Amino acid sequence: MINDILGKLVADKYRIESLVSESESADIYLGRHEVLDTPVTVKILPLASAVDGRWVTRFVDQARAASALSHPNILNVTDFGTDAKGISYAVFEEAKGKTLGSFIADEPQIDEKRSLNIARQIAAAVAAAHAKKIIHGGLAPQFIYVDDSDEVKVYGFGASVLHVAGDADPRYLSPEQCTAFPAADERSDVYSLGVILYEMLSGVVPYDGATAAGILAKQNAEPPPLLSAFRRDLHADIEPIVLTAIAADPERRYPNMAACADALELLSGSAKAQVKAAAGDAPQRNIWQTAFIVLAGISLLAVSLIYLTSVKKTDPTTQLVADAGSLPVQPIGPATGAQEESLAKLPAMTDAEIMAATMTQTPDMVPGGDGYNAWANGGAPPAGAPLNQGIPPVGYVPPGGQYYTVDPNGSQFMPPDSGVILVPVPANTNTAVKPTPTPKTPGANTAVQPTPVPNATPKPMATPPPKGDKPATTQPQKDKTPTTGKPAKNGKPGDPE
């Protein structure tokens, strides 16, 4: 197919000019865009693989994934598809220079500075692809172009779906890829970059073999030879970086390509500084130049001090003038705590004392109370009045009815030591009907009760005597003569005998 396609058009616009490389998964050609008249790089799926629809699908998927990338160190995809002739293709920008494999073959041990420069560009390109969640999975010198100015272009991203043991170079595959291919992740690409850097510096790969199984056996058997065994002019920190990148255990490698790129960038800076110091490029100053710089600094400082003290001096007696309309800010009663302390030392007061202290008596107010209700007569309550009621007490009803004096010996409702009972007036009537007591024969200590008049207006409530005092009894008057003691006749007093 190679001879059949040379000089032909692909997709009716890309003319194939020369072969760059060939493999089971893809052949690389240099070509030209017939319409734009610009050089291009064309990757074509071999005819033997194109008969399998699965390979065609994987080829197109790889081109589609690579077309999402755009980076100065990535050979960007400009077109892809399958033309009317059944040729599956992917078109890249022009690949200048030659592959890194050819570069290493021409110069077995590349200069340290140049090797680090190439490795940093490869790491930047792969890190950009990882940021898009695209793994290369088969990074090797054949997928890296280097031009005469050492500018790097990496291609083949997304090719992990096509890498098989017979297609990918097993010398650059990580141990996990050789064990369970194609189980590749970011750390797999880190391993491949470490092997490429190791080969650029030493001229050989750390593990050589023809098959993935043979490479895996060597990876598990022994560590790779140290770079110091090949050359003595390397930076002291370059070997730890390479050995970390090609560690057999993925957990011991750099976690991602960005971390590896940072380490290479830091190493490149320190290597440049080391070379510069060794070459003696640092400027040297003699003693007269140093003395002149010191004298100039002292003179400048002196002039600054003179300017600040003479031209920009200030009058030390000048004071700020207070605002005439301002008022002094000073607390009237400083918070000394004396008042709070004196209040805290006061003895506890009862409810009655608190009421007596808080009630304000005016000259025109008279003490209230009628002996029973402390809130009666509209005056101020005396000391000791209950505090759990309103002013006047809520729901207070003045007493009504009449006072009656009954015989304590003859009433079963009165205690022996009292003869007074308070009869309230019913709330739903205007008059009160009082029962008529049965008159009894007056005794020596018995009070005679008057017969109440029915339907009479109740008399005003009288003040009852203190509890425990018996009411005064009225003794019936007997008509006696002053001398004889006989009763008078006809209602007149008898004559003295």
Side-chain angles (χ1 to χ4, degrees):
M1 178 181 179
I2 296 176
N3 295 328
D4 294 340
I5 201 171
L6 289 176
K8 303 294 181 63
L9 286 176
V10 175
D12 296 332
K13 53 186 173 182
Y14 303 108
R15 187 169 299 277
I16 305 301
E17 295 180 346
S18 62
L19 175 68
V20 176
S21 64
E22 59 179 336
S23 64
E24 294 182 7
S25 60
D27 298 326
I28 306 299
Y29 298 90
L30 294 180
R32 179 169 294 275
H33 196 295
E34 286 288 295
V35 178
L36 301 178
D37 193 22
T38 56
V40 294
T41 303
V42 183
K43 183 169 70 171
I44 297 177
L45 182 66
L47 183 60
S49 300
V51 297
D52 190 345
R54 294 174 297 177
W55 280 96
V56 174
T57 302
R58 292 173 182 176
F59 183 89
V60 175
D61 290 343
Q62 173 195 355
R64 183 179 292 106
S67 65
L69 302 177
S70 178
H71 190 270
N73 297 119
I74 293 178
L75 197 64
N76 298 314
V77 176
T78 59
D79 191 11
F80 65 92
T82 302
D83 64 1
K85 300 176 184 179
I87 300 176
S88 298
Y89 64 93
V91 181
F92 298 83
E93 60 180 311
E94 181 186 10
K96 299 178 181 180
K98 56 185 178 181
T99 63
L100 182 59
S102 301
F103 200 90
I104 295 174
D106 296 340
E107 188 177 350
Q109 291 185 353
I110 303 176
D111 178 70
E112 176 185 345
K113 180 181 178 181
R114 197 174 189 182
S115 299
L116 290 176
N117 181 33
I118 293 173
R120 286 190 300 105
Q121 295 182 64
I122 298 172
V126 178
H130 289 177
K132 296 286 188 177
K133 306 300 181 182
I134 298 176
I135 307 298
H136 194 291
L139 190 62
Q142 67 190 47
F143 295 105
I144 301 169
Y145 278 94
V146 181
D147 62 8
D148 296 337
S149 60
D150 289 345
E151 184 179 357
V152 174
K153 293 287 186 177
V154 182
Y155 77 99
F157 289 98
S160 59
V161 297
L162 297 178
H163 290 330
V164 294
D167 185 33
D169 194 334
R171 299 177 300 171
Y172 302 94
L173 296 179
S174 62
E176 61 270 18
Q177 289 177 287
C178 295
T179 303
F181 188 88
D185 59 8
E186 295 183 11
R187 296 170 298 180
S188 301
D189 288 345
V190 171
Y191 180 91
S192 300
L193 176 60
V195 174
I196 293 172
L197 179 58
Y198 186 101
E199 186 180 14
M200 286 192 294
L201 295 173
S202 65
V204 296
V205 292
Y207 302 104
D208 198 358
T211 63
I215 297 296
L216 180 61
K218 294 181 179 181
Q219 290 171 337
N220 296 329
E222 57 186 12
L226 298 178
L227 291 174
S228 58
F230 299 96
R231 52 194 300 180
R232 298 287 184 176
D233 60 339
L234 298 179
H235 192 278
D237 296 333
I238 194 170
E239 190 162 53
I241 293 177
V242 175
L243 294 179
T244 301
I246 64 175
D249 185 2
E251 298 297 332
R252 298 178 56 189
R253 301 175 203 156
Y254 292 104
N256 48 57
M257 188 61 76
C260 184
D262 292 341
L264 292 173
E265 188 69 30
L266 183 62
L267 179 61
S268 299
S270 60
K272 291 179 182 178
Q274 185 179 14
V275 172
K276 187 176 182 179
D281 294 337
Q284 302 292 330
R285 297 188 180 93
N286 57 32
I287 187 171
W288 296 108
Q289 291 175 331
T290 305
F292 176 78
I293 294 174
V294 173
L295 182 60
I298 295 175
S299 301
L300 181 61
L301 179 61
V303 171
S304 300
L305 292 176
I306 294 173
Y307 175 78
L308 294 175
T309 55
S310 61
V311 179
K312 295 293 184 180
K313 66 180 181 179
T314 57
D315 187 0
T317 61
T318 303
Q319 297 180 356
L320 294 177
V321 180
D323 188 1
S326 63
L327 295 176
V329 179
Q330 184 175 359
I332 298 176
T336 60
Q339 182 177 2
E340 290 77 2
E341 183 179 1
S342 61
L343 292 175
K345 293 181 179 180
L346 292 177
M349 299 176 66
T350 63
D351 291 345
E353 292 173 342
I354 294 175
M355 175 58 74
T358 55
M359 290 300 296
T360 303
Q361 293 283 353
T362 58
D364 56 345
M365 291 181 65
V366 296
D370 55 2
Y372 284 95
N373 178 21
W375 305 91
N377 299 331
L387 299 178
N388 58 352
Q389 293 179 338
I391 302 176
V394 180
Y396 172 74
V397 179
Q402 234 174 338
Y403 289 98
Y404 296 93
T405 303
V406 297
D407 184 5
N409 298 325
S411 174
Q412 57 181 342
F413 300 104
M414 294 297 294
D417 57 349
S418 176
V420 179
I421 181 172
L422 180 63
V423 180
V425 178
N428 56 353
T429 59
N430 295 327
T431 58
V433 180
K434 307 299 180 181
T436 303
T438 303
K440 296 184 179 180
T441 304
N445 296 325
T446 303
V448 178
Q449 288 181 320
T451 301
V453 180
N455 299 329
T457 302
K459 296 180 180 180
M461 181 178 61
T463 302
K467 186 177 181 181
D469 297 338
K470 295 183 179 181
T473 57
T474 304
Q475 298 260 347
Q477 299 293 331
K478 297 181 181 180
D479 293 336
K480 295 183 180 179
T481 59
T483 56
T484 60
K486 297 180 181 180
K489 295 179 180 180
N490 299 325
K492 298 181 180 180
D495 295 334
E497 293 181 358

mmCIF file of all heavy atoms in Angstrom, residues 348-359 382-388:
data_model
loop_
_atom_site.group_PDB
_atom_site.id
_atom_site.type_symbol
_atom_site.label_atom_id
_atom_site.label_comp_id
_atom_site.label_asym_id
_atom_site.label_seq_id
_atom_site.Cartn_x
_atom_site.Cartn_y
_atom_site.Cartn_z
ATOM 1 N N ALA A 348 -32.963 42.882 103.262
ATOM 2 C CA ALA A 348 -34.112 42.462 102.461
ATOM 3 C C ALA A 348 -35.390 43.085 102.983
ATOM 4 O O ALA A 348 -35.591 43.236 104.184
ATOM 5 C CB ALA A 348 -34.221 40.947 102.469
ATOM 6 N N MET A 349 -36.317 43.479 102.102
ATOM 7 C CA MET A 349 -37.574 44.135 102.465
ATOM 8 C C MET A 349 -38.734 43.215 102.136
ATOM 9 O O MET A 349 -38.707 42.458 101.171
ATOM 10 C CB MET A 349 -37.721 45.459 101.697
ATOM 11 C CG MET A 349 -36.615 46.472 101.975
ATOM 12 S SD MET A 349 -36.776 47.958 100.980
ATOM 13 C CE MET A 349 -38.301 48.620 101.650
ATOM 14 N N THR A 350 -39.753 43.298 102.968
ATOM 15 C CA THR A 350 -40.968 42.525 102.730
ATOM 16 C C THR A 350 -41.816 43.213 101.686
ATOM 17 O O THR A 350 -41.550 44.352 101.288
ATOM 18 C CB THR A 350 -41.752 42.362 104.035
ATOM 19 O OG1 THR A 350 -42.158 43.667 104.488
ATOM 20 C CG2 THR A 350 -40.919 41.688 105.123
ATOM 21 N N ASP A 351 -42.879 42.517 101.269
ATOM 22 C CA ASP A 351 -43.772 43.100 100.261
ATOM 23 C C ASP A 351 -44.425 44.359 100.793
ATOM 24 O O ASP A 351 -44.606 45.349 100.074
ATOM 25 C CB ASP A 351 -44.831 42.087 99.852
ATOM 26 C CG ASP A 351 -44.225 40.937 99.075
ATOM 27 O OD1 ASP A 351 -43.074 41.093 98.625
ATOM 28 O OD2 ASP A 351 -44.911 39.907 98.912
ATOM 29 N N ALA A 352 -44.822 44.331 102.065
ATOM 30 C CA ALA A 352 -45.489 45.501 102.654
ATOM 31 C C ALA A 352 -44.550 46.689 102.715
ATOM 32 O O ALA A 352 -44.928 47.825 102.421
ATOM 33 C CB ALA A 352 -46.006 45.151 104.051
ATOM 34 N N GLU A 353 -43.279 46.437 103.060
ATOM 35 C CA GLU A 353 -42.318 47.530 103.131
ATOM 36 C C GLU A 353 -42.031 48.094 101.748
ATOM 37 O O GLU A 353 -41.866 49.303 101.587
ATOM 38 C CB GLU A 353 -41.026 47.032 103.782
ATOM 39 C CG GLU A 353 -41.202 46.692 105.261
ATOM 40 C CD GLU A 353 -39.945 46.051 105.839
ATOM 41 O OE1 GLU A 353 -39.120 45.584 105.046
ATOM 42 O OE2 GLU A 353 -39.798 46.048 107.049
ATOM 43 N N ILE A 354 -41.962 47.203 100.767
ATOM 44 C CA ILE A 354 -41.737 47.696 99.409
ATOM 45 C C ILE A 354 -42.903 48.545 98.940
ATOM 46 O O ILE A 354 -42.737 49.598 98.331
ATOM 47 C CB ILE A 354 -41.513 46.511 98.458
ATOM 48 C CG1 ILE A 354 -40.212 45.784 98.821
ATOM 49 C CG2 ILE A 354 -41.447 46.977 97.013
ATOM 50 C CD1 ILE A 354 -39.970 44.536 98.020
ATOM 51 N N MET A 355 -44.175 48.126 99.254
ATOM 52 C CA MET A 355 -45.340 48.899 98.870
ATOM 53 C C MET A 355 -45.353 50.236 99.561
ATOM 54 O O MET A 355 -45.626 51.280 98.966
ATOM 55 C CB MET A 355 -46.615 48.106 99.189
ATOM 56 C CG MET A 355 -47.901 48.887 98.943
ATOM 57 S SD MET A 355 -48.059 49.468 97.263
ATOM 58 C CE MET A 355 -48.430 47.958 96.456
ATOM 59 N N ALA A 356 -45.027 50.248 100.860
ATOM 60 C CA ALA A 356 -45.033 51.508 101.609
ATOM 61 C C ALA A 356 -43.961 52.455 101.089
ATOM 62 O O ALA A 356 -44.138 53.666 101.086
ATOM 63 C CB ALA A 356 -44.817 51.227 103.103
ATOM 64 N N ALA A 357 -42.820 51.886 100.628
ATOM 65 C CA ALA A 357 -41.749 52.741 100.133
ATOM 66 C C ALA A 357 -42.038 53.271 98.737
ATOM 67 O O ALA A 357 -41.579 54.341 98.372
ATOM 68 C CB ALA A 357 -40.422 51.973 100.141
ATOM 69 N N THR A 358 -42.759 52.511 97.941
ATOM 70 C CA THR A 358 -43.004 52.918 96.550
ATOM 71 C C THR A 358 -44.256 53.762 96.398
ATOM 72 O O THR A 358 -44.394 54.487 95.418
ATOM 73 C CB THR A 358 -43.120 51.684 95.650
ATOM 74 O OG1 THR A 358 -44.142 50.817 96.174
ATOM 75 C CG2 THR A 358 -41.810 50.921 95.600
ATOM 76 N N MET A 359 -45.231 53.675 97.304
ATOM 77 C CA MET A 359 -46.452 54.470 97.190
ATOM 78 C C MET A 359 -46.164 55.919 97.546
ATOM 79 O O MET A 359 -45.480 56.214 98.538
ATOM 80 C CB MET A 359 -47.542 53.914 98.109
ATOM 81 C CG MET A 359 -48.097 52.564 97.657
ATOM 82 S SD MET A 359 -48.835 52.624 96.029
ATOM 83 C CE MET A 359 -50.191 53.745 96.344
ATOM 84 N N PRO A 382 -53.093 51.217 103.274
ATOM 85 C CA PRO A 382 -52.112 51.299 104.364
ATOM 86 C C PRO A 382 -51.019 50.278 104.164
ATOM 87 O O PRO A 382 -51.083 49.420 103.307
ATOM 88 C CB PRO A 382 -52.950 50.993 105.609
ATOM 89 C CG PRO A 382 -54.049 50.137 105.088
ATOM 90 C CD PRO A 382 -54.367 50.640 103.707
ATOM 91 N N ALA A 383 -49.996 50.400 104.986
ATOM 92 C CA ALA A 383 -48.887 49.456 104.922
ATOM 93 C C ALA A 383 -49.380 48.058 105.248
ATOM 94 O O ALA A 383 -50.179 47.862 106.155
ATOM 95 C CB ALA A 383 -47.789 49.876 105.891
ATOM 96 N N GLY A 384 -48.902 47.091 104.506
ATOM 97 C CA GLY A 384 -49.305 45.706 104.737
ATOM 98 C C GLY A 384 -50.404 45.246 103.810
ATOM 99 O O GLY A 384 -50.853 44.113 103.931
ATOM 100 N N ALA A 385 -50.886 46.129 102.908
ATOM 101 C CA ALA A 385 -51.936 45.721 101.975
ATOM 102 C C ALA A 385 -51.398 44.658 101.026
ATOM 103 O O ALA A 385 -50.223 44.689 100.674
ATOM 104 C CB ALA A 385 -52.429 46.930 101.185
ATOM 105 N N PRO A 386 -52.231 43.690 100.608
ATOM 106 C CA PRO A 386 -51.739 42.631 99.689
ATOM 107 C C PRO A 386 -51.314 43.228 98.355
ATOM 108 O O PRO A 386 -51.892 44.184 97.882
ATOM 109 C CB PRO A 386 -52.948 41.707 99.543
ATOM 110 C CG PRO A 386 -54.127 42.564 99.886
ATOM 111 C CD PRO A 386 -53.663 43.513 100.952
ATOM 112 N N LEU A 387 -50.284 42.593 97.781
ATOM 113 C CA LEU A 387 -49.695 43.113 96.543
ATOM 114 C C LEU A 387 -50.121 42.335 95.305
ATOM 115 O O LEU A 387 -49.712 42.645 94.208
ATOM 116 C CB LEU A 387 -48.167 43.071 96.652
ATOM 117 C CG LEU A 387 -47.569 43.916 97.775
ATOM 118 C CD1 LEU A 387 -46.068 43.754 97.792
ATOM 119 C CD2 LEU A 387 -47.950 45.361 97.630
ATOM 120 N N ASN A 388 -50.888 41.295 95.476
ATOM 121 C CA ASN A 388 -51.234 40.443 94.336
ATOM 122 C C ASN A 388 -52.543 40.830 93.689
ATOM 123 O O ASN A 388 -53.146 40.046 93.013
ATOM 124 C CB ASN A 388 -51.289 38.988 94.780
ATOM 125 C CG ASN A 388 -52.287 38.777 95.912
ATOM 126 O OD1 ASN A 388 -52.822 39.744 96.450
ATOM 127 N ND2 ASN A 388 -52.535 37.520 96.257
#
